[in-house]
Amino acid sequence: MRKPARLFCVALAAAVGPAAFADADFTFFGRSGDGILLDFSAQPGVGADASFTNLDLSTFGSHVGLTSDTLENQPFADTGRLHVFAAPNLPRGRGGDRGLEPGFQGTIAGSVQIDGQTKTFEVQVQPGYSGVGRGAVTHNGERLGRRNNALSVAQQQHRLAYFGYQAEGGPLPSVTGSFDGDTNQALRTFQAAIVGWLNTTQASVDGIVGDNTGAWLNAGNAPFWERLSPNANISSVSSFEPYATSWTVELVQAATADAKAATGINQRITALSTFDGYGSSAIHNTHRAGMDIDLGIPLESRNTGNGFLNSGEATAAEFARAFIDAHLNHDLDVRVSRILNSNVDIIGAVNATHPGVFANDTSGGHASHFHIDVTPLGRDAPLGDLLGDFDLTDAVDEDDIDWLFLNQGGDASIYSLDGDDAVTLDDVDVLVEDVLGTIYGDANLDRFIDQADLNAVLLNWGRTDRGWATGDFNGDRFVDQADLNRVLNQWGAAAAPDLTGLPVPEPAAALTLALLGLTARRRQGSRAR
């Protein structure tokens, strides 16, 4: 199913802020399907002539870290640039659960010495992949047997592995920056899928990451390689060839539900592709791109036809119509381009309502089943990250304000919002006022300054390691008079029309409430001593 564009939203849940969960000196963010650049030279407090030594990735496990020495032909000691590729894990659907997000999500940690001083770092890996911006895969005609851009190759290898495409016989491509045979084979299966149409295989494509392939690697609806499992509408799936693209899996799931609704009969998927695609050549030579389906049909229809439509043939015709109409009745990325069968009665019945889709296999080789070819409908625009969503949670919220405060003087390629090459308080203004559309002092980001915002200050008065949601509005991680003044000076102000209909206290009343609150807290503190 087509993946929705990432929607802009504002999370209202209160939190202490990033300072409470950032356990390392430097924190970076990335996505499961993206190569993640860690530029230590651009971190706050790191000098322009700093040296980078003793990089420790011993806790990385199956995650891959490659320095600029390998991918950029520049010494890490000078650049401080490390590229991290999170482990792809098993392709989506391997265990039959398509609800699981593919790839690794969690924290990857390590350390590095900067000018002789050890600094720890962590990478917080969020789900998904990006097609534009810092996470996009780059390309320049990479292929087997030529001098390639190592960074682009590493990004391509990682994205293919994240999508689940394998070399012949396995495994997933290794992220090395060197375009090897495994990469070539996995790429060709991906290319065969995006070409689709009729009987396309790895031998039909060029194995070059040009403009079209590069665009598909970044497309919002790029196909994953998945396993189809039986469900309430599918009684069985071939144990030898249960794999296909996510496009095909979604088509099968939608069409079989419609077919059962029309006939009351569960469907049998007698062949898709093998786990690597290539192995299908042993039985179904055209089934190697995950874009072909063999669908079982009723026993009474397994013949070449005699000019009269029997009940089994009529049921088989309904199966076919469900698959042909699936892309019209559901939001799918593919459609049926052709169905092969050897029964002229079924072919005539379906072509009468859906002309041109059925083709007759006069050899009789498809008398027992339908062979269904699937083709893509088109490429969706790539998904990008929300402006100001620094922690890549697909929401711009109070944590992003805190991360921006913490990265003052840091990596402008990530944190600068005003178009210049420096991260300053001007960028916070852009995030608060333009991106979030609110004003300073609005702790819960409801675009209105009221009692809830005052409470955030009072409840955290005098505390350190606070964030925007807990009353720190100037980024010093401490709640004090400056933060209280932000609320009182803006009391009753609205960044958007007030739709609550609730009365707004006068500023004098708000000040009285604030003083009473602070006095109560001081008395409580005195009793505790």
Side-chain angles (χ1 to χ4, degrees), residues 132-153:
V132 294
R134 50 179 158 148
V137 172
T138 58
H139 68 277
N140 187 33
E142 286 74 24
R143 72 195 77 171
L144 189 65
R146 64 162 285 184
R147 185 175 181 179
N148 297 299
N149 182 296
L151 177 56
S152 295
V153 171

Side-chain angles (χ1 to χ4, degrees), residues 99-135:
L100 295 176
E101 287 280 359
F104 170 84
Q105 295 106 51
T107 301
I108 304 171
S111 67
V112 64
Q113 286 191 344
I114 302 178
D115 289 336
Q117 185 176 4
T118 299
K119 297 289 184 179
T120 59
F121 65 87
E122 64 180 27
V123 187
Q124 295 187 13
V125 183
Q126 307 286 14
Y129 67 100
S130 300
V132 294
R134 50 179 158 148

Side-chain angles (χ1 to χ4, degrees), residues 78-93:
D78 298 334
T79 68
R81 291 166 66 90
L82 171 69
H83 298 267
V84 173
F85 303 89
N89 295 339
L90 289 176
R92 187 168 64 172

Side-chain angles (χ1 to χ4, degrees), residues 26 28 38-43 46 52 76 80 82 112 114 121:
F26 304 128
F28 303 86
L38 280 55
D39 189 349
F40 297 112
S41 71
Q43 300 311 296
V46 176
F52 307 91
F76 174 76
L82 171 69
V112 64
I114 302 178
F121 65 87

Side-chain angles (χ1 to χ4, degrees), residues 144-192:
L144 189 65
R146 64 162 285 184
R147 185 175 181 179
N148 297 299
N149 182 296
L151 177 56
S152 295
V153 171
Q155 293 169 343
Q156 294 158 15
Q157 291 169 326
H158 181 252
R159 184 66 58 85
L160 287 167
Y162 169 75
F163 286 154
Y165 292 89
Q166 303 194 50
E168 183 172 2
L172 298 170
S174 298
V175 181
T176 62
S178 176
F179 200 108
D180 57 11
D182 286 354
T183 304
N184 175 61
Q185 291 172 356
L187 173 66
R188 284 177 175 273
T189 305
F190 178 79
Q191 285 186 312

Side-chain angles (χ1 to χ4, degrees), residues 321-342:
R321 292 188 183 99
F323 274 78
I324 296 168
D325 290 338
H327 77 281
L328 300 175
N329 298 327
H330 304 273
D331 186 19
L332 301 177
D333 289 296
V334 291
R335 66 175 178 86
V336 170
S337 53
R338 183 185 67 170
I339 301 180
L340 285 177
N341 188 246
S342 301

